[in-house]
Structures are given as C-alpha cells and as structure tokens.
Amino acid sequence: MKIKRALISVSDKSGLEKLVKVLNEYGVEIISTGNTARMIKNAGYEVKTVFDYTGSAEILGGRVKTLHPKIFGGILATGSENDKVDMLKSDIMPIDMVIVNLYPFEKMCQSDDEKLAIENIDIGGVSLLRAAAKNYERIAVVNSPNQYNDLIAELRKNNGKISTAVRKSLAVDAFAVTAFYDSAILNWFNREKQFPEKRLLRIEKINDLRYGENPHQMACFYKDADFVGPGLSDLEILGGKQLSYNNVAEIDTLWQMVSDHGNENFCVILKHANPCGAAIGCSMTDAYEKALSTDPVSAFGGLVGFNKTIDSTLASELIKRFYEVVAAPDISENALKLLKTKKNLRIVRFPEMLKITENYNFKRVRGGFLVSDFDQSDDRFDSFKVVTKIKPAELLKKDIAFSWRMVKYVKSNAIVYVKDQTLIGVGAGQVSRIDSVKIAAMKAEQSGFDLRGAVMASDGFFPFPDSVEVAADYGISAIVTPGGSIRDQLVVDKADALGIPMIFTGIRHFRH
C-alpha cells in the first residue's frame, strides 16, 4: 500500500523532521495539528492544518483538535464501494498513515497537581491510534519516535509503500500503547483505594530468561510499569552469566534482607530462597565470615548479599568458594577485578537500598490472583511485649530484634536461632513447628555452635508448650514469637516455669 496522505499530531516531536523529509521525498501530503504543523512548516515542508482540511478550528483550548468526521472518516474508510460513496458525499479524503504520540500522562500524574494530570489525559490521540490500528489493512499507524527509523527503512525498501505485515505489527503496538495508557489512568484514579473493584496490571517485557524455575520451563522478566522507585529491572549486572529465573526471585529476597539493616555491617547467604547464613559484624569481611559459619555446606552455590561496599579484602575471601551470585550496593574497582576471575559468578550492583513503595503484592493462582499488602512491621525490640514474669537480659535485646528480622525470610514453619547477631541455626519449611525447632538445633550443632545463651524466634505462635520444653533443653535464653494461640497462657506459663523470657511481637511472618 502506497502512502499518499499522512496525519501527524505528536506531543514528542523528537526525530520527526527526519521522517517528514522522507515522506516529502515520496510526495506524501501532510495534514497536521497546531504546534506540530508549525514545526513542520518551519522546517521548510508543505503542510495542511486540520483547520485547512476540515474547516473546523481547534476549540476548548485545544481539547478538541482532530475529532471530526473528515478526519475519522478518512482513517476508518475501508475502500469499499459504499464507503467511497459516503466519502464523496462528505468531501472526505482517505488518510493512509497516522503518526500520533500521546500526552505524557504517566509523567505528569507523578505530580501532586491533579488538574495537570487530568489535562494530560489524551482523548483525540488515543482515538486516532485506535481507529488507525483497527483499519490496519489500509492504514499504517505510528505511535512513537522509536519506530521512525524502521518506518523509514520500510518506505525506502518498498518505494513509499508499507507492507501488510508491517502495518499489522504497527497496529498491535498501537493497541498495546492505548491499553497501557488507559490502564495508567484507571490506576491513577484508583490510587487511594486499597483494593479497587478493577485493577489493571501494566507490565512490560524486559528480557527473556534462560529458562524458568526448572530447565523445561520457559520464562522471561517483566517490569511493573506502575512501580515507583528502584526495582529489579534497575540492577546492574557487572559480570558473569545471564541471571536465571531463580536468581531473579532470590535476588529480590536478598535485596530486601540487606535493606533491613541500615548502617550495620550486614551479610546474608541465601539458598533456595532461605537464609542459610546471616550476621552483623565489625566489618563487612567479619560479617561475611560469621554468616558463612552458620552453614558452610549449604552456602555452596548460594547467593551472597551485602548492605555496604565490597572491597578487595572481602572479594579475596568470596572467590575462595562457589557462589551463584554476589550482590552489593557498590563494589570497588579492585574487588570487581578479583570477582571477575570467577568466570560464571554473577556480580550484581543494587541501585540503592530498597524501600517498599508498592501498595500490592500479587500471587498468581489458577484463574486469578491473590492480592495483599506487603509484610512490613516494626522490628525494634521496643515495639515487642515481654509476656513472661522473667525479663530478657539487656545484652539479648539486639539478638531478639535480629532473630525477628531473620525468621521473617524463612519458609514456614520457620524457626531460627541467633547468637551475637549471627544466625546459627535454621529450621525451614516443616509442617510441624517442633520439627523446625529440632532441625534448626541440629544444623547449629553440625556447624559447631553451642545453643546455650542463644535466642529462638518462631514465625508463628506455639500451639503447645512442647517447643518451649525442647528449647529449655538446648539452653535457649529467650524466645520470640507472634503469640495469638488460644493456648498462649499455657505456653507463657511453661516459659516462666523453665526460666525463659518470652517476647510477643504481635505480628506473624508466615512465608510460603
């Protein structure tokens, strides 16, 4: 299909002059609106304004420019005999190409100025794109300056014509743009509703992944277009293999965990999305060595994260072992050189420490989504409640708070033991809580830790006092738990009887 007449109305005018030059070379008549027409005329090209063509001026301060039968008739006409008769009666000329991009609503709605956001809701532009996309068998629709180079190449290749396959591809892009645009508007209007009746997920593909959770599964990574702030699509990959599906999922947990620890020197080692080592140290290298001591066997092939810069001293220790991923907010030049000696090691730089700014967490289930807000809570000791008559020693308060931050990230049923702000035992994913109590103790003992004087944290309440009795046998010095069981008093009384302080957080941290 040869392009004879084009309608151009763009908010973003970058690259337009180059495209107009090519259209002019092929003798394409150009119809355009206000500022776009002035730019084309100033560039030295002939242009007919919408007013010249329709006889109707822009009204309402520019809110109505192109909403006219001579414009939309020229776009929606199919070329049938009946359409030709109607067009002749109304003096409508066929339009073969529509070049439109939309008001920058998504940018403007970030402002607190609601009037500014509303004025940037494009009406005519969306209508033009949809009309042209619907009629792709006769019309080429262009929605972004990013398409201009390919469009020019197509015109030159086919002597001013656009193939059906390209027109259809452009139509798909146009419908995607208008759908995304309308979704942004709906979500903006719903921004103050916790759970609106309708919410549209706006996600855009970033890249393919090597495979899914398992090698026989295909996968890719999509970015949430409504996410405000740094996200996983902003990670810098400084070396190593392409990130896998599991890498991305676990880096998300890694990033959350290191972000929980402010200015402390913190290191965490993850394996299958569970921490198998974590510690606060007097330096980053000290934190790493303490975290590794938690479970050096399970650390093999894990992911290691830090909340501060990796220097060359730390890097020289990291390269002694096999890890899938090493991640930190910064990595010194010499450290990066050392880490890159491990060819397949994925080296990741976080853009900054993570702050949860999203309102929703989505989980896919068959035929739907589960939607909740994020598990965020105050993890300071002062926000907890000591429920036993016996009180914890002052020195234990840091371990109590640290244990609560750790158990939040362990799969339920979860038990952790902490000593000197070091994770020393993890019991994860058991269907019986007391089994997690025993497994965490077994792991601690395998790594050579003495549980006497340690703090035990549980992600859920204790339904029976049996876990407290086992903890007493291990010499545990304090127990942290949400509380909330109908047998809470029985459990608290047992802790008092055994001389173990019990702390209720009032918040459960189930993780599935």
Side-chain angles (χ1 to χ4, degrees):
M1 182 202 75
K2 190 170 181 65
I3 305 298
K4 297 179 181 178
R5 186 173 293 105
L7 173 70
I8 306 178
S9 180
V10 294
S11 172
D12 180 357
K13 296 173 178 58
S14 57
L16 182 62
E17 186 175 338
K18 179 180 177 182
L19 176 59
V20 169
K21 178 178 182 295
V22 175
L23 293 176
N24 187 68
E25 289 173 10
Y26 289 105
V28 177
E29 179 186 354
I30 296 175
I31 302 170
S32 188
T33 55
N35 290 331
T36 307
R38 279 189 286 276
M39 185 209 126
I40 294 170
K41 185 176 181 180
N42 290 339
Y45 300 103
E46 290 188 17
V47 58
K48 181 182 288 186
T49 67
V50 169
F51 173 71
D52 293 335
Y53 175 58
T54 65
S56 296
E58 296 180 9
I59 61 173
L60 305 179
R63 278 192 167 195
V64 179
K65 298 186 184 82
T66 56
L67 297 171
H68 193 283
K70 291 187 75 171
I71 297 294
F72 280 86
I75 294 170
L76 287 167
T78 63
S80 69
E81 292 304 315
N82 286 339
D83 284 0
K84 289 177 181 177
V85 171
D86 287 342
M87 292 173 74
L88 186 62
K89 287 179 182 178
S90 301
D91 192 25
I92 296 172
M93 302 298 291
I95 294 171
D96 311 304
M97 177 180 285
V98 171
I99 302 170
V100 171
N101 53 62
L102 307 176
Y103 292 162
F105 172 79
E106 293 172 78
K107 179 181 178 182
M108 296 305 178
C109 73
Q110 302 300 320
S111 163
D112 293 330
D113 188 338
E114 185 164 313
K115 184 178 179 181
L116 178 66
I118 289 173
E119 284 306 312
N120 276 277
I121 296 176
D122 204 317
I123 303 300
V126 171
S127 301
L128 290 167
L129 289 177
R130 288 176 59 84
K134 175 179 179 176
N135 204 21
Y136 74 87
E137 289 187 353
R138 198 186 61 76
I139 296 275
V141 57
V142 183
N143 69 78
S144 168
N146 295 331
Q147 297 172 320
Y148 292 172
N149 285 339
D150 288 342
L151 182 65
I152 289 169
E154 175 75 4
L155 288 166
R156 294 203 184 285
K157 175 183 173 183
N158 297 309
N159 194 29
K161 297 180 180 179
I162 305 292
S163 69
T164 303
V166 169
R167 294 198 305 275
K168 187 172 185 179
S169 176
L170 289 169
V172 171
D173 286 343
F175 279 125
V177 164
T178 58
F180 238 59
Y181 195 79
D182 285 338
S183 299
I185 296 167
L186 173 63
N187 291 345
W188 180 75
F189 274 106
N190 277 334
R191 66 193 182 282
E192 294 178 359
K193 296 180 181 179
Q194 185 175 20
F195 297 113
E197 291 299 314
K198 289 184 172 63
R199 178 171 179 87
L200 300 176
L201 287 179
R202 300 194 318 129
I203 58 175
E204 49 190 325
K205 186 176 176 181
I206 299 299
N207 59 275
D208 291 314
L209 300 173
R210 292 172 63 207
Y211 51 79
E213 192 164 11
N214 298 292
H216 66 280
Q217 295 172 271
M218 297 175 64
C220 62
F221 177 52
Y222 282 86
K223 175 184 178 180
D224 180 355
D226 289 316
F227 181 79
V228 178
L232 290 174
S233 62
D234 301 308
L235 296 176
E236 289 184 72
I237 312 304
L238 304 178
K241 295 191 295 186
Q242 178 190 3
L243 293 179
S244 70
Y245 176 100
N246 293 328
N247 290 156
V248 174
E250 291 184 287
I251 288 171
D252 186 43
T253 300
L254 204 69
W255 196 3
Q256 291 177 56
M257 291 191 74
V258 300
S259 297
D260 283 347
H261 287 85
N263 291 323
E264 300 162 318
N265 298 310
F266 175 73
C267 170
V268 60
I269 304 172
L270 281 187
K271 188 71 171 290
H272 293 298
N274 285 294
C276 63
I280 293 171
C282 60
S283 68
M284 295 309 295
T285 301
D286 180 54
Y288 166 67
E289 290 173 347
K290 289 170 71 176
L292 180 59
S293 71
T294 303
D295 189 350
V297 174
S298 296
F300 180 85
L303 297 83
V304 191
F306 301 90
N307 67 335
K308 291 185 181 179
T309 301
I310 297 175
D311 61 19
S312 56
T313 301
L314 176 53
S316 64
E317 293 300 316
L318 289 167
I319 60 175
K320 293 177 182 178
R321 300 181 63 88
F322 168 65
Y323 294 115
E324 285 270 332
V325 175
V326 168
D330 204 2
I331 302 168
S332 75
E333 186 177 344
N334 288 335
L336 185 58
K337 288 178 182 177
L338 284 169
L339 293 174
K340 283 187 173 181
T341 62
K342 304 284 280 189
K343 186 176 70 170
N344 292 326
L345 174 65
R346 299 162 177 91
I347 307 164
V348 175
R349 179 154 54 202
F350 301 131
E352 59 184 78
M353 290 297 97
L354 184 66
K355 293 180 181 178
I356 298 295
T357 56
E358 297 166 294
N359 295 324
Y360 303 100
N361 189 25
F362 292 86
K363 183 174 182 178
R364 189 78 162 90
V365 294
R366 298 289 178 187
F369 289 90
L370 294 172
V371 184
S372 71
D373 57 6
F374 280 83
D375 181 7
Q376 299 181 79
S377 62
D378 191 343
D379 57 17
R380 297 171 303 153
F381 179 85
D382 291 344
S383 69
F384 304 156
K385 182 180 180 181
V386 180
V387 291
T388 47
K389 295 172 185 175
I390 186 170
K391 308 302 178 187
E394 189 69 25
L395 290 173
L396 288 177
K397 289 183 178 180
K398 287 185 177 181
D399 280 353
I400 289 168
F402 185 75
S403 70
W404 190 239
R405 291 198 295 273
M406 292 300 99
V407 80
K408 173 182 176 179
Y409 293 100
V410 178
K411 299 291 185 182
S412 302
N413 284 312
I415 294 289
V416 301
Y417 296 117
V418 165
K419 196 172 187 179
D420 298 327
Q421 295 189 94
T422 301
L423 186 64
I424 64 171
V426 179
Q430 300 304 304
V431 292
S432 166
R433 188 159 300 279
I434 195 167
D435 284 347
S436 288
V437 170
K438 293 174 180 177
I439 288 171
M442 177 192 73
K443 298 294 288 183
E445 289 166 0
Q446 285 177 350
S447 295
F449 289 106
D450 185 350
L451 285 171
R452 288 175 296 180
V455 171
M456 181 175 82
S458 170
D459 67 334
F461 63 66
F462 293 108
F464 304 101
D466 51 356
S467 293
V468 178
E469 292 169 340
V470 173
D473 291 340
Y474 296 146
I476 297 302
S477 59
I479 297 173
V480 190
T481 174
S485 168
I486 59 173
R487 300 183 185 86
D488 270 352
Q489 194 56 55
L490 182 65
V491 174
V492 171
D493 289 344
K494 177 59 68 174
D496 258 326
L498 294 170
I500 306 175
M502 181 167 281
I503 297 92
F504 279 4
T505 65
I507 297 289
R508 192 180 73 182
H509 278 322
F510 275 5
R511 190 175 181 87
H512 297 107

